[in-house]
Amino acid sequence: MSKMQAISRRTILRGLGVSMALPMLEAMRPVVQAAGATNAGQAAPVRMAWVFFPNGTNAKQWLPEGEGTNWAVTPSLQPLEPMRNDFLVLRGLAQRNAASLGDGPGDHARSAAAFLTGAHPFKTAGSKIKVGRSVDQIAADHYGRQTRLPSIELGTEEGRSAGSCDSGYACAYSNNISWRTESQPMAKEINPKLAFERLFAGGASEGKESAQRQHLKKSILDMVTDQSRQLQKSLGSDDRRKMEEYFNSVRDIELRLERMSQPIDLSGIKAEPPSGETSDFGEHIRAMFDLMVLAFQTDTTRLATFMLANEGSNKTFPMIEVNEGHHELSHHQEKQDSIEKIAKIDRYYSEQFGYFLKRLKETPEGESNLLDNSLIVYGGAISDGNRHDHDNLPILLAGRGGGRVQPGRLIKYDNLPLNNLFLSMLDMIDVPVESFGDSTGRLTGLSG
Amino acid sequence: MIPRLNTYAILLGLSLLPMATGLAQDASQPEVANATNAYDAELLERWEREVKPLLQKYCSDCHGSESAEADVDVTRYTDLASVRSQPAIWDQIRGVVKIGAMPPSDSEQPSEEERLKLSTWVVDALHRVDCGVVQSPGHVTIRRLNNTEYDNTIRDLFDFDWKPSTLAGFVSDEVGNGFDNQGEVLSLPPLLLEKYLAVAEQIAEKAIVLDPDSLRKQSQDGDSLFVGEKCSAEFLFAKGQYKVTVRMRFGDGQENSVMAKLLIDGQEIESWEVEPKEKSYSIDLEFVEGKHRIQVHFAEDPHTKELGKFERRIHVERIRIEGPEDDVPPLPLSHRRVIVAMPSDTKSVADAARENLIQFLRLAYRRPAEPIEVERLVTIVDQASQSGMSFLESMRFGLQAALVSPPFLFRIERSDGDLVREGVRRVGSYEMATRLSYFLWSSTPDEELLNAASTNALYQPEAIAAQIDRMLNDPRSEALVHGFFAQWLGLRNLNVVDVDGRKFAPWSDRLRESMRIETELFCKHLISPEGKLIDVLDADFTFVNPRMAELYGLEFEGKAAVELYRADLGEPSRRQAKRRNRPYVDEDKWIKATLPANRRGLLTQASILTLTSNPSRTSPVKRGKWVLENILGDPPPPAPPGVPALEETSKEHENVSLREQLEIHRSNPSCASCHRVMDPIGLGMENFDAIGQWREEDQGQPIQSGGELADGRTFANATELLTALKADQPKIARHFASKMLTYALGRGLNTSDQCAIDKIVEAAANDQYRIRAFIQAIAASEPFTLQSVEPQESLTPQIAENEAKHE
């Protein structure tokens, strides 16, 4: 391999650090104070994360049976057994906008696209991509402005780079669950090291930029803002939409620069920058979970989405002796061997998710812990990968949301929209939204 | 221009009316010029008289409002507009009916004539526009540079040899219409802009050298080398004496030492004995002015038994140069490109900055910058300078700003081309230079293109044609292989293909890499002056290195496979060694080789055969589908959910061959409809296993690769199959032209582009379907040379809001 890169990866990362300045935090102070959002004595903010897994499940081994506190952990959720009192099993929720509704095949693309947007994606291989704003971005608008980053988007797999991803749907649909606008996905960071650098910019050691350089950087952003505004005026509608994306991105960064003008001190917190790329999938996932914990802990952001893999992912899992691709297996056609392997993969993902919950729970915050102050959704918008159905979805809701949710139970709903859950979640952080996708109201019973 | 009059227009006695302006571009809202009304009227008449009754008779039982199987309900379509609003569905209907895949064989079958009636009508309704009427050339949405284009642009602007997209982890580009360069799909999320900002800062620091003396010592990171491998570094030298130093060590926990060679520009200069302890190895050398490549080569390891082990690598920490002895180090091209003026007693900072920026922005913006664009940047440089920074440091900020500004990051085509008719203008001269360079090079136009643009030469077809030939002969045209061909063929997916290495012993990442290189070299041949489309099906040659030669059972330069291994490598360790190391004498040597009679063209290359297989076995279905989709342009519909699987069949019939299993599978009418089209093609390739090796039998069963295509043509083996497909060349050419036009334009095609495709295919056909003829015809086509002016709408609420915020 050519090593002709006259500039090393390290240098670039250093560059990222410098240019993005550093978030402020005094680690020993209660975290919530650092962002200046709340005063001492006030309740900690509710953090929210949506953790997505692709290709549906082996439902028989995944979906628990029972009611209330009387339910049994299933084989696929076995790794979560020690945490069973920390999450709700929500049964009977559906994301109908992931269904075909006359658009033919393409359930994978649709289900990722609809999962958090609650909207039915417009079928296109390229032009006029359109789905809807996702729940995390709606929350970010109202809520995330108080933190240095409104939200973070993480993943493990790059977008597919050849062909359309699923039966005539542009790859943007399968590769993203977070949508900033109805036509603009929030790209996700898949490299843990880069994600860390982006969040924490190398810690305090890199030193803060001189005010002078900060000021010049601001001038650059002002300059390009002027330029894009001038351009917008002379462009037609589609072109203008592209310029608008640019314009919005510049504004986001301006805001971020303002919020991140003070250095962060991570010395009191256990935080090591993860190593670059890892070939171990579990390590990769856990590195991302670590980052989410750290981001929540330092109140760098309160909102996160994480795609454990892209929808339709055909990853193999040699570490658990599954050498066939996940997607390929999910079309198991009731073949026993494949179904078993799906369950193994489901269990593998649960295990990783369990790690996340455990880390959150072990992170104290005030009198309680980070998990208790969070609401974490775990699931996807396909129930059974073989049938591509979008009802009776596998959905867990972990955490107490600062006392707003009473976990440890199984709640059965009668085929209600998943979007009702999102409305309830938005309520809990005082984000007033009337309706979302095909929502019919709020979910009852979450608080016990 | 003079529109081509087709017989249709003449028969109908139409006059050529000027086209209405500002028409919608997407297929869902087809253009309706006045003159096409008669055309549509005729279509509608055929719909009522011929098509609707056919649909009623043969289709509506299963695809009606009662049971819309596969979500297709033919009764929903009542007129032309409703059909045109669902082009994908109707193309599929046309495809399955035409090839006989529908109705299922257990239903009443239409006659051949009826099938033809329906499929012709759909083509006429969706894809035939009246080419006698002036057609819209379409509008290309402004395009962000994709990651490859960004990398190449930086490389060519600054003469840098690194990939910012990889180093900074740019977000992977979204793919639309099969390619990653589509304007509408490429978005710019905040995350990416952040990375652009960071990278721009790095580029500015590297490009502008504050103190030439700092270049006296330069170094680059090395790499860890297995035996046979080299690592290299390139530096710019002045004339004079330099000290070249390599810091390295041998192995991990080794006791002995090995020899490493130092090469300058490929010439062996020195040998060093590399010890286990890290040390610096130096030599003083005279250099002539210019760039020189320094390489360290781990040529031989005498300890053959442990050949190629991880512990026996040479770790090159750094390659360093120091010099020149009695002179100043030369400034890199990047510096000279950006800095042409310095402030002086008679020249203010602003004036010097202006001078620099005017000439640099012409390169960065791919056109002369407007005064206001220059002044904005001058202000930034001035600000920096006033805050106490040196001029060069201040220029870095100007450069950084230029590299994150819209005219650099986006390809924006404004209105500098003349209006050729209402709502349509010529692509401007500089815009043409940019279109050509990103089409053929995925990079920024060079000085020659910009000069041609400045004299308006790029309005002349001959001048464009000459530029294209020049550009295709330039090494930068390899971008067309990685950009267009790799995506057309799905070759990029080879990187993520999983193969069961226990079942296929030769499989390794090195084999994967070799497969990819083979196909890339073949595509490079395709864009050479000799390359023809038909080569895809019938070339009797390919390109191999020793590894590929062995896989194909070919001799390599007259040597049998066994002779290709390093002489010192014993038989037992060979199999083991093959996986991860370098058992061949010269793995990186590629030669053109004649294929044995059982392989022809691209379709029998291991890359394609592997990426259309499952990890542990071949997939005739995938292979057939791949050919239909990528070569013939007739994608079969996706499998309906819940159909019984091939695996089901195989469980019941454990001892039958894959071919027989597929036959059983096809006995189900709902499967048969599509599989009778896909399977024979894939089964025809069954003599190639899941990594493309030739085989005579599969699981003890002899392979029969003969078969019959859906239209009745028969073949006895893969080569005969390929020969049969050659008869489809016009169709293949049409599909190829559509794909390449999509790539060249960076947008999806519209109905109105069909006339342009007609012309492109015609031009290529007149030139033996040479690939270069396609490229030339595409660059000369209306969609490439003209641009519809997009209607300007009033401000969207979002923009209005943004405007308000800023004022």
Side-chain angles (χ1 to χ4, degrees), chain A residues 7-249:
Chain A
I7 182 160
S8 73
R9 181 163 204 127
R10 291 189 291 276
T11 322
I12 283 279
L13 289 172
R14 207 151 49 227
L16 275 167
V18 171
S19 67
M20 282 303 119
L22 303 159
M24 175 187 79
L25 184 93
E26 264 181 67
M28 304 320 290
R29 231 197 288 161
V31 201
V32 286
Q33 252 190 306
T38 45
N39 295 318
Q42 261 186 286
V46 177
R47 280 48 156 236
M48 288 187 181
W50 288 264
V51 179
F52 167 90
F53 57 81
N55 299 333
T57 61
N58 170 344
K60 279 187 199 123
Q61 302 220 39
W62 202 102
L63 289 177
E65 296 293 341
E67 188 97 56
T69 53
N70 182 22
W71 62 278
V73 168
T74 50
S76 295
L77 297 180
Q78 197 58 44
L80 296 172
E81 167 74 49
M83 312 286 298
R84 63 167 288 154
N85 290 322
D86 291 297
F87 61 87
L88 284 170
V89 179
L90 302 179
R91 289 207 49 177
L93 296 179
Q95 189 52 282
R96 285 185 201 93
N97 276 327
S100 129
L101 308 182
D103 287 347
D107 282 279
H108 287 282
R110 275 194 302 263
S111 70
F115 182 49
L116 298 187
T117 63
H120 186 66
F122 174 70
K123 188 163 193 171
T124 170
S127 66
K128 309 208 185 311
I129 284 179
K130 188 177 167 187
V131 54
R133 305 200 62 205
S134 55
V135 57
D136 60 307
Q137 292 303 303
I138 292 172
D141 261 6
H142 293 266
Y143 181 74
R145 296 287 169 198
Q146 297 161 42
T147 53
R148 288 176 290 272
L149 281 171
S151 63
I152 54 171
E153 294 73 34
L154 301 173
T156 62
E157 285 186 309
E158 237 182 89
R160 238 183 91 163
S161 52
S164 86
C165 279
D166 187 4
S167 313
Y169 282 95
C171 295
Y173 291 132
S174 312
N175 295 345
N176 299 286
I177 50 173
S178 176
W179 289 73
R180 192 177 192 290
T181 68
E182 59 184 23
S183 61
Q184 191 186 11
M186 286 294 280
K188 58 194 193 294
E189 182 70 82
I190 57 166
N191 179 320
K193 188 178 169 75
L194 292 175
F196 181 90
E197 295 290 341
R198 178 166 183 259
L199 284 167
F200 307 111
S205 59
E206 294 280 344
K208 62 173 184 171
E209 290 197 295
S210 69
Q212 177 196 15
R213 293 182 81 85
Q214 281 276 336
H215 179 73
L216 283 166
K217 205 152 286 168
K218 184 86 176 49
S219 300
I220 291 178
L221 292 175
D222 287 345
M223 191 282 292
V224 296
T225 304
D226 282 350
Q227 209 173 5
S228 63
R229 281 203 305 147
Q230 189 204 356
L231 270 166
Q232 269 182 333
K233 287 179 186 160
S234 64
L235 296 173
S237 56
D238 277 351
D239 291 346
R240 186 176 285 190
R241 198 161 44 76
K242 287 287 152 194
M243 220 12 79
E244 200 174 294
E245 276 177 16
Y246 174 88
F247 185 91
N248 288 334
S249 292

Side-chain angles (χ1 to χ4, degrees), chain B residues 410-475:
Chain B
F410 290 89
R411 292 164 55 191
I412 302 166
E413 296 182 343
R414 299 167 324 162
S415 14
D416 53 340
D418 329 327
L419 218 56
V420 293
R421 55 180 186 260
E422 205 184 337
V424 175
R425 62 174 191 79
R426 214 151 37 151
V427 168
S429 199
Y430 283 98
E431 293 165 1
M432 191 57 166
T434 301
R435 280 193 174 201
L436 287 171
S437 72
Y438 283 94
F439 172 26
L440 302 178
W441 289 347
S442 304
S443 184
T444 196
D446 63 354
E447 196 56 50
E448 195 169 333
L449 274 169
L450 289 175
N451 285 339
S454 71
T455 59
N456 287 340
L458 295 183
Y459 286 131
Q460 291 148 17
E462 311 76 40
I464 293 179
Q467 287 290 346
I468 290 173
D469 266 329
R470 174 183 77 88
M471 293 173 75
L472 288 174
N473 293 333
D474 186 289

Side-chain angles (χ1 to χ4, degrees), chain B residues 689-728:
Chain B
D689 72 10
I691 58 169
Q693 300 180 103
W694 180 261
R695 59 178 183 177
E696 304 280 347
E697 51 179 48
D698 180 24
Q699 295 174 17
Q701 308 273 342
I703 284 166
Q704 303 161 9
S705 53
E708 184 180 333
L709 292 173
D711 61 10
R713 285 177 288 168
T714 58
F715 55 90
N717 52 41
T719 33
E720 279 192 32
L721 165 66
L722 293 170
T723 308
L725 291 177
K726 274 159 72 174
D728 291 324

Side-chain angles (χ1 to χ4, degrees), chain B residues 560-674:
Chain B
V562 65
E563 298 171 80
L564 300 173
Y565 287 88
R566 308 172 73 89
D568 43 20
L569 193 64
E571 176 64 35
S573 48
R574 191 184 295 162
R575 233 182 88 112
Q576 190 54 34
K578 196 151 117 182
R579 289 202 176 237
R580 51 172 204 216
N581 306 318
R582 310 211 126 213
Y584 299 101
V585 176
D586 197 351
E587 170 124 28
D588 296 330
K589 185 166 192 180
W590 287 86
I591 57 165
K592 189 170 173 177
T594 305
L595 285 170
N598 55 22
R599 281 183 205 266
R600 283 293 172 267
L602 188 79
L603 271 52
T604 57
Q605 288 182 7
S607 58
I608 306 296
L609 294 166
T610 303
L611 66 87
T612 53
S613 292
N614 286 334
S616 56
R617 62 162 173 89
T618 60
S619 167
V621 178
K622 277 192 191 171
R623 285 181 179 171
K625 181 167 177 264
W626 187 92
V627 170
L628 289 172
E629 223 165 54
N630 297 304
I631 303 297
L632 298 168
D634 252 342
V643 296
L646 188 55
E647 279 72 14
E648 281 297 288
T649 324
S650 78
K651 213 165 51 184
E652 288 165 33
H653 309 266
E654 265 173 27
N655 294 318
V656 301
S657 67
L658 192 55
R659 166 178 287 269
E660 286 164 309
Q661 288 176 27
L662 278 168
E663 268 163 27
I664 298 165
H665 187 65
R666 280 202 302 275
S667 63
N668 177 335
S670 75
C671 306
S673 49
C674 294

Side-chain angles (χ1 to χ4, degrees), chain B residues 490-560:
Chain B
L491 197 57
R492 291 184 181 182
N493 292 334
L494 188 61
N495 294 335
V496 292
V497 161
D498 264 319
V499 172
D500 188 343
R502 291 163 307 181
K503 212 162 168 187
F504 299 99
W507 180 253
S508 68
D509 280 341
R510 288 205 194 275
L511 182 64
R512 185 201 300 274
E513 172 91 354
S514 296
M515 287 178 176
R516 183 178 57 76
I517 294 173
E518 178 200 0
T519 302
E520 285 172 359
L521 288 171
F522 187 81
C523 294
K524 253 173 98 167
H525 153 79
L526 289 178
I527 57 171
S528 76
E530 297 78 42
K532 298 196 188 86
L533 184 63
I534 203 74
D535 294 342
V536 169
L537 296 178
D538 81 346
D540 61 357
F541 60 87
T542 189
F543 299 85
V544 292
N545 63 353
R547 193 180 288 270
M548 291 308 294
E550 191 184 1
L551 189 80
Y552 290 165
L554 290 176
E555 288 194 338
F556 188 86
E557 295 186 313
K559 288 182 189 152

Side-chain angles (χ1 to χ4, degrees), chain A residues 100 127 189 219 246 249 256, chain B residues 71 184 188 194-195 383 404:
Chain A
S100 129
S127 66
E189 182 70 82
S219 300
Y246 174 88
S249 292
R256 197 173 158 193
Chain B
D71 283 317
E184 280 214 72
L188 180 48
E194 247 176 68
K195 299 201 175 206
Q383 259 180 33
V404 293

